[in-house]
Amino acid sequence: MAGSISPGGDQILQMTFQTLEHDLGQILGRLAAQGYEARELVFDPPASETDIRRVEAELGLPLPSALRDVLTTVSRHVEFGWSAPGGLEFPPPFAGNFGGDLCWCSGLVLQCEEKRRGWIKACFADPEDAYDSVWHDKLAFQDVGNGDLLAIDLRPRHLGQVVYLSHDDGEGHGTVMAPSFRDLIERWVPLACTGSEDWQWLPFLGAQGIDPAGDNGQAWRRLLKIA
């Protein structure tokens, strides 16, 4: 399976992106067989350079290199999601978990950025404020669905990091989920992309973001029977 974990430690093996579609489908199949609700996987062909240049022109800035690379070499549009059956409660520390969600799309970036910029204008306009500043100098790419966003940091010292943007004092606000967009996929897919609300993935945080090889990560994979 993609993002497989070495048996004795924290080393995450390099994901083979050529098998990502198969791996996502396999996770959904295993969950569906256990009674989970598995949404139909969307996995479109890669974007063309023309597509990317159009998005960049509308954004007014170039896409971060890792995101651009995945869009042009892996898929321009991926939607993966599942939810636990009604009444199922996971044991601590996963009691707040109820599903998984991963989505990226060249066109969706435009919508997410419009939402991020809207939040800045309406609520988070002060770049000197500690909370507000987290919303600035980012590129949003996934809508969490509760008003929060996943974004890529554009600041030179943090360039490429995937950061959580909370609009309502969420615990994960400003937390680095992964060092890069590719790293996020490599780290999150082995956990069936649990989330994307912050409380669902916070139990899996390690020193450099989400860590599927930690104790909680391995316990979660066994719990979902996707190990």
Side-chain angles (χ1 to χ4, degrees):
M1 178 178 292
S4 57
I5 301 167
S6 59
D10 296 334
Q11 181 65 37
I12 301 172
L13 301 182
Q14 178 70 25
M15 173 185 288
T16 303
F17 275 79
Q18 288 83 355
T19 67
L20 180 59
E21 181 177 8
H22 171 269
D23 296 332
L24 292 172
Q26 186 177 59
I27 291 172
L28 291 176
R30 291 184 180 182
L31 293 174
Q34 300 173 66
Y36 291 82
E37 180 182 346
R39 300 199 299 268
E40 183 177 356
L41 177 66
V42 175
F43 202 100
D44 288 348
S48 67
E49 282 296 321
T50 300
D51 294 333
I52 297 300
R53 286 195 294 269
R54 178 186 58 79
V55 172
E56 291 176 331
E58 292 192 43
L59 285 172
L61 74 164
L63 292 175
S65 59
L67 175 60
R68 197 181 205 279
D69 179 58
V70 170
L71 288 171
T72 57
T73 64
V74 180
S75 172
R76 67 173 179 265
H77 182 193
V78 167
E79 291 185 29
F80 165 93
W82 61 273
S83 57
L88 176 63
E89 295 184 4
F90 294 114
F94 315 121
N97 292 51
F98 58 85
D101 181 41
L102 173 67
C103 179
W104 76 75
C105 176
S106 53
L108 185 61
V109 171
L110 297 169
Q111 299 175 35
C112 290
E113 262 301 280
E114 181 179 5
K115 178 172 286 191
R116 184 189 68 86
R117 295 173 188 183
W119 274 118
I120 289 176
K121 184 177 181 180
C123 302
F124 308 119
D126 185 2
E128 301 302 319
D129 178 83
Y131 194 94
D132 290 12
S133 65
V134 175
W135 283 83
H136 292 249
D137 300 310
K138 305 295 189 296
L139 180 78
F141 66 87
Q142 180 167 331
D143 190 335
V144 174
N146 62 358
D148 297 347
L149 296 164
L150 307 188
I152 297 173
D153 206 323
L154 302 180
R155 295 173 298 169
R157 290 184 59 187
H158 306 277
L159 188 62
Q161 292 179 344
V162 177
V163 179
Y164 192 85
L165 307 182
S166 172
H167 74 292
D168 60 354
D169 297 311
E171 184 180 353
H173 183 58
T175 298
V176 176
M177 298 176 67
S180 74
F181 184 69
R182 289 186 72 97
D183 282 316
L184 177 71
I185 300 169
E186 291 176 355
R187 293 163 179 266
W188 213 9
V189 167
L191 298 173
C193 303
T194 183
S196 50
E197 295 86 355
D198 55 353
W199 67 84
Q200 294 203 68
W201 51 259
L202 281 170
F204 307 103
L205 277 186
Q208 294 186 321
I210 292 171
D211 180 11
D215 290 344
N216 282 351
Q218 297 192 53
W220 177 247
R221 285 165 54 79
R222 290 193 296 269
L223 192 62
L224 295 184
K225 300 180 181 178
I226 59 171

